[in-house]
Amino acid sequence: MKILFFASLRERLNTEEEQWQDLNGAQTAGDILTQLQTRGEPWSSSLNTERLLVSVNQEIASLTTEVTLNDELAFFPPVTGG
Amino acid sequence: MKILFFASLRERLNTEEEQWQDLNGAQTAGDILTQLQTRGEPWSSSLNTERLLVSVNQEIASLTTEVTLNDELAFFPPVTGG
Amino acid sequence: MSKSIGSIRIQEADFSVDNEYQNLRAAHASQNGAICTFVGLVRDFGDKKGVTGMYLEHYPGMTEHSLQQIIDQAASRWQLHNVSIIHRVGQLNLSEQIVFVGVSSAHRADAFASCEFIMDYLKADAPFWKKECNDQGSEWVEAKQSDQDRAQKWSKD
Amino acid sequence: MSKSIGSIRIQEADFSVDNEYQNLRAAHASQNGAICTFVGLVRDFGDKKGVTGMYLEHYPGMTEHSLQQIIDQAASRWQLHNVSIIHRVGQLNLSEQIVFVGVSSAHRADAFASCEFIMDYLKADAPFWKKECNDQGSEWVEAKQSDQDRAQKWSKD
């Protein structure tokens, strides 16, 4: 699984991309988020926001969206283009 | 008084402008219209339409708008620009 | 009443959308967040097929006066930096440019709304008349009730 | 489902509004009655004063996908001939062009509505993020609830 982070979230985590070879039992986007949050700071506070968006395979998704090892996930703040 | 006619009305009357030296008692735009209509054809039928617009001194007016000898009147069909 | 803004031109000559856009962009340059432009073109199917062009007549003097009133209304209703209106008259061929309306503002909502408002009132109120030329000859275009209705709807908001 | 229309470009380079307008005008030339364009520019006062520019980040791939979905929605809702979207990314200075949306149609109502619809959804849904640069440094722009609200209002119509 590829996991991407963008904008302020990318900067706070100092990470733009991870590759996972094993989902460690995660079945949903929310399960992935929980695993990231348990890493401690800055992960726990940066990923613990009500305004965090998630996409699965480049489509906006929710924390209940099911995921597999082949998916591309991304976490990012609300968009501000245009 | 200057009286102007535009577009289809100008063509049907074959007149684009008249100069009046005397209002013959006319006090409103409607009085002027009545005098024009009494000329017979093509005036009576061309000026006898519900969709005729009138302006006084280049502002949209109504048949009850008062007029004087110094005014510029115009009669025309509904506009179709843009 | 504040000073009127806006540039209004009635002309036979064609116009450059790029010139108008660049002028809108240059004025208030660092404060412009949004520029909305509209161009109306002579098209193939209006009320009938086979259109080869059109002839546009206007009421000189009243036209400019009427368009300035429309701009003034828009400027009192939305926060606008600049407005440019060009309307061509005379003989126009198929696919030629007829009318340009451009608006610059800080915010996109103001730019979009005012540009559409100006076009709607231009079509409903400004003294222009179109004669459509087709294979069979030429005919004055009938005014559409829908154009009156579109202008009307702004007063309900 | 009909074939998708629209041109979408995400680029660092500046763009020419005139080129885009001329392309929209040339395609379906005799059937275009209305072309509406919108340009968003870097402006001086957003959430704070002293803006010197901005940095734009995006999610490559998802951005294009998201914009195509917005165009498809617009094309299913209004009669459109063509749509062009350009969104710049990277470093932009004050008063530079950020985004272009242009729409051609037979009728002005369709052109205006779809152009504004596309901008509203672009701002609410497309994965772009702005970092505002000012005298004090740089800061990510906070998303505005009003942008979500503006997109929402189209679903009520």
Side-chain angles (χ1 to χ4, degrees):
Chain A
M1 171 176 285
K2 188 196 262 188
I3 306 180
L4 304 167
F5 306 99
F6 289 98
S8 54
L9 191 61
R10 171 182 58 72
E11 285 190 352
R12 291 173 74 182
L13 301 177
N14 198 25
T15 306
E16 61 180 72
E17 182 177 335
E18 303 196 349
Q19 289 283 352
W20 286 20
Q21 306 305 328
D22 187 337
L23 299 189
N24 303 308
Q27 293 188 316
T28 65
D31 294 340
I32 301 291
L33 181 65
T34 303
Q35 293 189 24
L36 292 168
Q37 284 165 336
T38 55
R39 288 175 177 177
E41 291 303 332
W43 301 84
S44 49
S45 61
S46 301
L47 290 167
N48 190 13
T49 162
E50 291 169 8
R51 305 196 74 192
L52 185 71
L53 300 181
V54 59
S55 67
V56 175
N57 297 328
Q58 307 191 351
E59 292 265 11
I60 286 291
S62 73
L63 295 182
T64 59
T65 303
E66 294 190 13
V67 296
T68 70
L69 200 53
N70 293 322
D71 290 339
E72 174 178 306
L73 257 71
F75 294 98
F76 45 80
V79 306
T80 56
Chain B
M1 172 177 287
K2 188 196 263 187
I3 306 180
L4 303 166
F5 305 97
F6 289 98
S8 55
L9 191 61
R10 171 181 59 71
E11 285 190 352
R12 290 173 74 180
L13 302 177
N14 198 25
T15 307
E16 62 179 71
E17 183 178 333
E18 302 196 350
Q19 289 283 352
W20 286 20
Q21 306 304 327
D22 186 339
L23 299 189
N24 304 309
Q27 294 187 317
T28 65
D31 294 341
I32 301 290
L33 181 65
T34 303
Q35 293 189 26
L36 292 169
Q37 284 165 337
T38 56
R39 288 177 176 175
E41 291 305 333
W43 301 85
S44 49
S45 62
S46 301
L47 291 166
N48 191 12
T49 162
E50 290 168 9
R51 306 196 74 192
L52 185 70
L53 300 182
V54 60
S55 67
V56 175
N57 298 327
Q58 306 191 352
E59 292 265 11
I60 286 291
S62 73
L63 295 183
T64 59
T65 303
E66 296 191 10
V67 296
T68 70
L69 201 53
N70 293 322
D71 289 339
E72 174 177 307
L73 257 71
F75 294 98
F76 43 81
V79 305
T80 55
Chain C
M1 168 110 197
S2 61
K3 193 171 157 294
S4 283
I5 61 163
S7 153
I8 295 165
R9 276 161 290 167
I10 314 297
Q11 60 189 45
E12 293 199 11
D14 197 10
F15 53 81
S16 157
V17 169
D18 195 41
N19 279 359
E20 296 311 306
Y21 170 70
Q22 296 303 341
N23 288 342
L24 287 168
R25 197 180 158 192
H28 305 84
S30 69
Q31 278 136 54
N32 288 329
I35 295 179
C36 182
T37 74
F38 176 86
V39 177
L41 302 149
V42 182
R43 73 187 168 88
D44 201 3
F45 47 97
D47 302 324
K48 52 190 70 62
K49 295 266 181 187
V51 173
T52 56
M54 52 176 50
Y55 175 80
L56 265 144
E57 181 170 328
H58 79 302
Y59 182 171
M62 179 167 171
T63 313
E64 291 81 350
H65 184 67
S66 157
L67 293 175
Q68 186 64 56
Q69 286 181 325
I70 295 170
I71 292 176
D72 290 348
Q73 276 184 60
S76 71
R77 191 157 170 168
W78 294 281
Q79 295 253 322
L80 307 180
H81 293 157
N82 242 309
V83 177
S84 168
I85 301 179
I86 303 175
H87 203 299
R88 293 177 69 194
V89 291
Q91 192 66 43
L92 299 182
N93 295 320
L94 189 59
S95 80
E96 279 201 74
Q97 302 181 134
I98 306 170
V99 59
F100 173 88
V101 175
V103 178
S104 59
S105 174
H107 302 284
R108 81 182 186 287
D110 290 0
F112 272 116
S114 60
C115 191
E116 188 168 13
F117 173 94
I118 290 168
M119 269 309 300
D120 282 353
Y121 274 92
L122 184 157
K123 288 203 83 108
D125 287 356
F128 292 101
W129 299 273
K130 273 178 189 161
K131 197 174 192 175
E132 218 168 55
C133 313
N134 55 48
D135 309 340
Q136 275 81 53
S138 65
E139 214 168 324
W140 291 100
V141 174
E142 288 283 317
K144 293 197 190 100
Q145 184 57 39
S146 60
D147 284 328
Q148 295 297 324
D149 294 344
R150 281 187 65 81
Q152 256 336 94
K153 101 185 147 48
W154 290 98
S155 55
K156 279 187 270 167
D157 289 358
Chain D
M1 168 114 193
S2 61
K3 193 171 158 291
S4 283
I5 61 164
S7 152
I8 295 166
R9 277 161 289 167
I10 314 298
Q11 59 188 48
E12 293 199 12
D14 197 9
F15 53 81
S16 158
V17 170
D18 194 41
N19 279 359
E20 296 312 305
Y21 170 70
Q22 296 303 342
N23 287 342
L24 287 168
R25 198 180 157 192
H28 305 85
S30 68
Q31 279 137 54
N32 288 329
I35 296 179
C36 182
T37 74
F38 176 86
V39 177
L41 302 150
V42 183
R43 74 188 169 87
D44 201 3
F45 45 97
D47 302 324
K48 50 190 73 62
K49 294 268 182 187
V51 173
T52 56
M54 55 177 48
Y55 175 80
L56 265 143
E57 180 169 330
H58 79 302
Y59 182 171
M62 180 168 171
T63 313
E64 291 82 349
H65 184 65
S66 157
L67 293 175
Q68 186 63 56
Q69 286 180 326
I70 295 170
I71 292 176
D72 290 348
Q73 277 184 60
S76 71
R77 190 158 170 167
W78 294 282
Q79 294 254 321
L80 307 181
H81 293 158
N82 242 310
V83 176
S84 168
I85 302 180
I86 303 177
H87 203 299
R88 293 177 69 193
V89 292
Q91 193 65 44
L92 299 182
N93 294 320
L94 189 58
S95 80
E96 279 200 74
Q97 303 180 133
I98 306 169
V99 59
F100 173 88
V101 175
V103 177
S104 59
S105 175
H107 302 285
R108 80 181 186 288
D110 290 0
F112 272 116
S114 60
C115 191
E116 188 168 12
F117 173 94
I118 290 168
M119 269 308 301
D120 283 353
Y121 274 92
L122 184 157
K123 289 201 83 108
D125 287 356
F128 293 101
W129 299 274
K130 274 179 188 159
K131 197 173 193 176
E132 216 166 56
C133 313
N134 55 47
D135 309 340
Q136 274 81 53
S138 64
E139 214 168 322
W140 291 100
V141 174
E142 287 283 316
K144 294 196 190 102
Q145 184 58 39
S146 60
D147 284 328
Q148 294 298 323
D149 294 344
R150 281 187 64 80
Q152 252 340 92
K153 100 183 148 47
W154 290 99
S155 55
K156 279 186 271 169
D157 289 357

